[in-house]
């Protein structure tokens, strides 16, 4: 069966424009229109529309086309169709205020995220859901409808803050600090600021040696819990060193010992950033010559796909032209569109786990490979029986397997898993899997149909091939922190949620599904660099600024107020994450429960996209990772 897609994107909101950009990067021709044309359906198979801007006549026309099975309609709206706020047509910043994103960002005062985060997230989830329908037979694909809620997308990003709300405590704003690591902050240099992030006790020891911290000053700082408790003392030691060096000198010194560090890049200087120049030379040249325009973001390719067996630089792939061979289990109205697929995840924290979580929600079987001691985020607090709420939120519907990939027998078992898989997705340092014997050529020999996705901070072809990257560093070097500035003193600050990690994981989700559609029995390599994704979002924002607003603080709390010619002056409350648990939209459209193997019920989040024919589902929380049965017996 042939499926030659053409898309129509209707609306002026960022969610529609960014979704159109994603479909174009997938090779699908897109026509843009501010309003739904009367002849819709005559020359398109996909319609992406903003529900908040859709008139009654247009809505009726789309419903008729759905009944005639002529188009797939994806409707993105600020809230769900059942929401009591449905009529408000909320802006991105208003959604940030209502769902807790604004309250978790900043220092003493709530601060809006400087990119349209909810709209960007909604565009990515919408594009992934659209592409997932292409994993079903043609007729089923055309009978689907997709609904995406910006509110739900925004709340789904709160996995680091919701755990405390679930146990009745408040997660406070921390500026550029990290709640579970130190040193991790913005530090003054001779000529500006530098981000330095350590993720372990060993990294702290290396940094302390670099900056010549005296033994007496190290007393009581050996363990991360001690450093978090004494964060001001630790930060004073670090800034005592950084303040006597330039930003470039600090970054170079940290690079030399494997510590994540980077400058806070101004968006206007993005074209001069070495890694952006290397990976997006044409866009950099255009910005240098003409400045940032309303469509500069469209030139930034946020994923790359190339044949798995080829070591050439990744490049774009053509649009899918036929229904792919994506699995062994036939789809039905009761299964997700990815039913029959097997996914292997080697992930930690957010990016790869987030992408794999949604592949599982869409019906794939996901095997999560963890070290013998379990993924590090299992130990975060709050937790139940050794599993953190954060881990539960990010790893629903996966089967964990404990493997030591430095052990020969475990590598053999991993190779056997790869041989039968459809997807391998990881967020290790570039080259880490190859050092274990599983580079692209080796993976291709094991499984010529494999889709292998690597997520990293700066990409495979990079100006910083050895530089580690945490979310905060990518926010700084991708322009997000420059756009997100405190209201009280215009200071650059990271988003409360891990914006670069989350958006990077969403891009990986979309790109993996696209590669599955395109593979036609040929293995594919997918590369996602989080800096590319951050730059894409900030360039869109710089060229398409949203109506500004203001946080007002009074005795009853904070409000976010905007003045828009279309809606007039309007205020919404700045809601804390703990208050979300009582919000009707959260209770109805976001929150659900899932059980672990012991029967314990966990609060988890529904997918923020609704597919009418092959719905995504969340049902379980994984237990503790166990070695394969054969290896368990061998270790007794």
């Amino acid at each position: 069966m042939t499926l030659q897609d053409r898309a129509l994107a209707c609306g002026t909101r960022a969610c529609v424009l960014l979704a159109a950009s994603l479909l174009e990067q997938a090779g699908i021709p897109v026509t843009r229109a501010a309003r739904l044309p009367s002849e819709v359906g005559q020359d398109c198979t996909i319609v992406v529309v903003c529900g908040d801007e859709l008139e009654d006549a247009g809505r009726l026309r789309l419903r008729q086309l759905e009944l005639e099975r002529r188009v797939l309609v994806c409707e993105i709206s600020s809230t769900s169709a059942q929401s009591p706020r449905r009529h408000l047509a909320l802006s991105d910043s208003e959604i940030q205020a209502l769902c807790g994103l604004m309250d978790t960002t900043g220092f003493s005062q709530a601060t809006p995220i400087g990119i349209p985060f909810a709209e960007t997230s909604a565009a990515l989830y919408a594009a992934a859901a659209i592409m997932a329908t292409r994993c079903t037979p043609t007729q089923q694909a055309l009978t689907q409808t997709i609904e995406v809620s910006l509110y739900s997308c925004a709340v789904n990003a709160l996995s680091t803050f919701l755990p405390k709300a679930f146990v009745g405590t408040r997660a406070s704003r921390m500026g550029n600090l990290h709640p579970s690591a130190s040193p991790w902050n913005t530090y003054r240099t001779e000529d500006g600021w530098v981000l330095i992030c350590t993720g372990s006790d060993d990294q702290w020891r290396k940094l302390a040696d670099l900056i010549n911290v005296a033994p007496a000053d190290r007393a009581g700082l050996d363990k991360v819990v001690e450093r978090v408790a004494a964060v001001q003392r630790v930060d004073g030691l670090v800034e005592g060193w950084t303040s006597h060096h330039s930003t470039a000198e600090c970054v170079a010194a940290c690079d030399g010992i494997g510590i994540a560090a980077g400058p806070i890049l101004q968006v206007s200087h993005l074209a001069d950033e070495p890694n952006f120049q290397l990976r997006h030379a044409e866009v950099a040249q255009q910005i240098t010559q003409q400045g940032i325009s309303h469509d500069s973001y469209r030139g930034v390719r946020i994923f790359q796909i190339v044949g798995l067996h080829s070591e050439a630089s990744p490049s774009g792939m053509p649009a899918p032209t036929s229904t792919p061979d994506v699995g062994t289990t036939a789809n039905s109205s009761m299964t997700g569109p990815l039913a029959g697929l097997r996914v292997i995840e080697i992930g930690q924290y957010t990016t790869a786990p987030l992408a794999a979580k949604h592949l599982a929600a869409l019906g794939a079987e996901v095997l999560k490979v963890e070290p013998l001691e379990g993924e590090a985020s299992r130990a975060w607090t709050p937790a139940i029986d050794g599993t953190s709420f954060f881990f539960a939120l990010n790893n629903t519907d996966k089967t964990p397997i404990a493997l030591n990939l430095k052990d020969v027998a475990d590598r053999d078992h991993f190779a056997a898993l790869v041989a039968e898989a459809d997807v391998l997705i990881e967020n290790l340092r570039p080259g880490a899997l190859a050092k274990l014997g599983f580079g692209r050529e080796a993976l291709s020999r094991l499984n010529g149909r494999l889709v292998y996705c690597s997520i990293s901070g700066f990409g495979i072809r990079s100006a910083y091939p050895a530089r580690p990257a945490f979310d905060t560093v990518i926010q700084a070097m991708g322009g997000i922190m420059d756009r997100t500035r405190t209201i009280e003193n215009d200071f650059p600050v990271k988003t409360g949620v891990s914006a670069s990690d989350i958006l990077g994981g969403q891009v990986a989700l979309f790109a993996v599904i696209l590669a599955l559609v395109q593979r036609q029995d040929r293995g594919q390599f997918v590369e996602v660099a989080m800096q590319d994704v951050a730059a894409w979002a900030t360039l869109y924002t710089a060229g398409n600024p949203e109506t500004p607003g203001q946080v007002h603080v009074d005795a009853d709390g904070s409000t976010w107020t905007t003045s828009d010619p279309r809606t007039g002056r309007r205020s919404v409350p700045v809601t804390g994450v703990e208050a979300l648990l009582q919000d009707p939209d959260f209770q109805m459209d976001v929150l659900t429960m899932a059980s672990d193997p012991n029967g314990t019920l966990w609060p988890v989040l529904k997918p923020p996209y609704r597919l009418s024919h092959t719905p995504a589902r969340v049902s379980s929380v994984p237990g503790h990772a166990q070695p394969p049965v054969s290896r368990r017996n061998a270790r007794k």
Side-chain angles (χ1 to χ4, degrees):
M1 293 179 287
T2 299
L3 183 59
Q4 192 71 43
D5 274 322
R6 302 172 309 281
L8 173 66
C10 300
T12 60
R13 289 193 66 149
C15 55
V16 172
L17 298 175
L18 291 168
S21 171
L22 289 162
L23 294 178
E24 287 176 331
Q25 291 199 33
I28 297 174
V30 179
T31 301
R32 290 168 166 79
R35 293 187 176 185
L36 193 71
S38 58
E39 68 277 11
V40 63
Q42 295 180 4
D43 59 355
C44 64
T45 57
I46 300 169
V47 175
V48 182
V49 63
C50 175
D52 299 327
E53 299 175 341
L54 194 59
E55 299 174 348
D56 290 343
R59 192 178 300 277
L60 289 173
R61 175 60 177 154
L62 289 179
R63 296 296 173 262
Q64 182 62 37
L65 290 173
E66 292 167 7
L67 292 173
E68 296 171 0
R69 301 182 178 182
R70 291 171 57 184
V71 297
L72 181 150
V73 176
C74 178
E75 183 175 328
I76 311 175
S77 304
S78 15
T79 60
S80 71
Q82 296 75 37
S83 168
R85 303 185 180 108
R86 175 70 178 185
H87 65 286
L88 290 179
L90 298 164
S91 69
D92 187 273
S93 59
E94 288 174 326
I95 290 170
Q96 288 187 35
L98 289 168
C99 78
L101 289 179
M102 194 176 291
D103 188 60
T104 59
T105 300
F107 293 90
S108 62
Q109 190 169 313
T111 300
I113 295 175
I115 61 172
F117 181 85
E119 306 237 19
T120 307
S121 181
L124 286 162
Y125 279 130
I130 289 169
M131 201 53 59
T133 67
R134 273 42 198 156
C135 294
T136 62
T138 303
Q139 198 58 42
Q140 288 187 12
L142 291 181
T143 62
Q144 293 266 23
T145 59
I146 300 170
E147 295 181 1
V148 179
S149 157
L150 273 74
Y151 176 93
S152 183
C153 291
V155 174
N156 262 262
L158 291 167
S159 58
T160 53
F161 290 91
L162 283 169
K164 286 191 175 182
F166 289 153
V167 298
T169 59
R170 176 177 171 80
S172 60
R173 291 184 295 277
M174 300 195 69
N176 291 325
L177 294 173
H178 191 288
S180 306
S182 174
W184 185 301
N185 209 342
T186 308
Y187 302 97
R188 190 181 298 278
T189 66
E190 284 184 335
D191 57 356
W193 299 88
V194 65
L195 252 297
I196 297 178
C197 305
T198 62
S200 68
D201 294 335
D202 182 60
Q203 288 184 343
W204 157 246
R205 286 189 290 272
K206 290 180 180 179
L207 181 63
D209 289 342
L210 172 70
I211 65 179
N212 295 316
V213 178
D217 290 331
R218 298 191 196 196
L221 300 178
D222 289 340
K223 300 297 182 183
V224 65
V225 291
E226 298 171 328
R227 295 193 299 279
V228 169
V231 63
Q232 291 184 341
R233 175 184 161 202
V234 173
D235 284 349
L237 293 171
V238 176
E239 193 160 279
W241 173 73
T242 62
S243 61
H244 293 89
H245 296 81
S246 69
T247 299
E249 289 171 340
C250 293
V251 172
C254 288
D255 276 355
I257 59 171
I259 301 295
I264 300 176
L265 182 73
Q266 293 182 17
V267 178
S268 59
H269 295 165
L270 189 60
D272 301 322
E273 204 285 316
N275 202 53
F276 186 86
Q277 280 188 333
L278 176 68
R279 296 177 62 82
H280 308 284
E282 291 185 6
V283 180
Q285 183 179 24
Q286 179 193 58
I287 293 173
T288 299
Q289 294 175 347
Q290 304 171 19
I292 298 172
S293 70
H294 72 281
D295 61 356
S296 293
Y297 72 100
R298 292 174 63 180
V300 178
R301 189 158 188 86
I302 55 175
F303 60 88
Q304 307 288 336
I305 301 177
V306 72
L308 178 62
H309 67 282
S310 171
E311 295 294 345
S313 296
S315 59
M317 293 287 287
T321 57
S322 61
T323 301
D325 171 21
V326 294
T328 57
T329 302
N331 284 286
S332 74
S333 60
M334 298 305 293
T335 62
L338 304 186
L341 292 171
R342 172 174 282 189
V343 176
I344 299 173
E345 174 215 311
I346 308 179
Q348 55 184 341
Y349 306 120
T350 301
T351 51
L354 176 68
K357 160 189 167 177
H358 285 284
L359 293 172
L362 289 163
E365 176 194 14
V366 177
L367 306 180
K368 181 180 178 70
V369 175
E370 301 184 50
L372 300 185
E373 65 275 16
E375 193 210 307
S377 72
R378 281 182 178 270
W380 290 6
T381 56
I384 300 176
D385 296 331
T387 297
S388 68
F389 283 86
F390 172 87
F391 181 89
L393 286 169
N394 267 14
N395 291 282
T396 45
D397 300 295
K398 300 176 186 178
T399 300
I401 299 176
L403 292 176
N404 174 12
L405 294 182
K406 295 182 180 179
D407 178 272
V408 174
D410 280 8
R411 284 202 303 273
D412 289 344
H413 188 85
F414 178 72
L417 292 177
V418 169
E420 298 180 353
D422 295 278
V423 176
L424 170 61
I425 184 168
E426 50 94 351
N427 63 344
L428 305 174
R429 281 195 189 185
L433 206 55
K435 289 181 180 178
L436 294 169
F438 297 101
R440 283 163 53 186
E441 291 289 353
L443 292 171
S444 180
R445 288 193 297 269
L446 284 170
N447 184 343
R449 299 176 66 254
L450 184 70
V451 171
Y452 167 36
C453 177
S454 171
I455 311 170
S456 63
F458 300 103
I460 305 299
R461 187 172 67 96
S462 171
Y464 318 117
R467 179 177 293 184
F470 289 115
D471 169 84
T472 308
V473 172
I474 299 300
Q475 287 196 42
M477 296 184 66
I480 294 178
M481 284 184 66
D482 180 45
R483 298 291 311 183
T484 306
R485 291 180 172 269
T486 56
I487 293 174
E488 56 265 44
N489 58 8
D490 197 40
F491 186 82
V493 64
K494 71 179 180 67
T495 62
V497 299
S498 301
S500 294
D501 280 349
I502 292 165
L503 297 180
Q506 288 187 253
V507 170
L509 171 68
F510 172 63
V512 164
I513 300 174
L514 172 61
L516 286 167
V517 173
Q518 293 177 335
R519 69 176 172 173
Q520 296 295 312
D521 279 327
R522 297 187 301 272
Q524 307 287 349
F525 174 65
V526 179
E527 179 202 11
V528 175
M530 294 190 298
Q531 190 191 30
D532 292 347
V533 181
W536 176 69
T538 54
L539 283 176
Y540 173 84
T541 309
N544 302 272
E546 192 181 57
T547 302
Q550 183 68 44
V551 173
H552 296 278
V553 182
D554 55 34
D556 297 324
S558 300
T559 57
W560 173 255
T561 302
T562 54
S563 297
D564 191 310
R566 298 169 296 179
T567 61
R569 183 178 175 85
R570 188 163 69 182
S571 296
V572 297
V574 177
T575 305
V577 175
E578 70 283 355
L580 278 180
L581 304 191
Q582 309 305 319
D583 187 279
D585 278 315
F586 180 80
Q587 293 177 341
M588 175 177 56
D589 199 39
V590 180
L591 185 66
T592 188
M593 303 297 290
S595 62
D596 66 19
N598 297 322
T600 302
L601 289 176
W602 295 77
V604 294
L605 307 180
K606 299 175 186 176
Y609 42 85
R610 307 284 187 266
L611 288 80
S612 62
H613 192 77
T614 53
R617 291 187 172 91
V618 175
S619 61
S620 67
V621 168
H624 294 290
Q626 298 290 334
V629 174
S630 60
R631 297 291 291 151
R632 284 182 238 166
N633 294 336
R635 287 168 181 158
K636 288 182 180 179

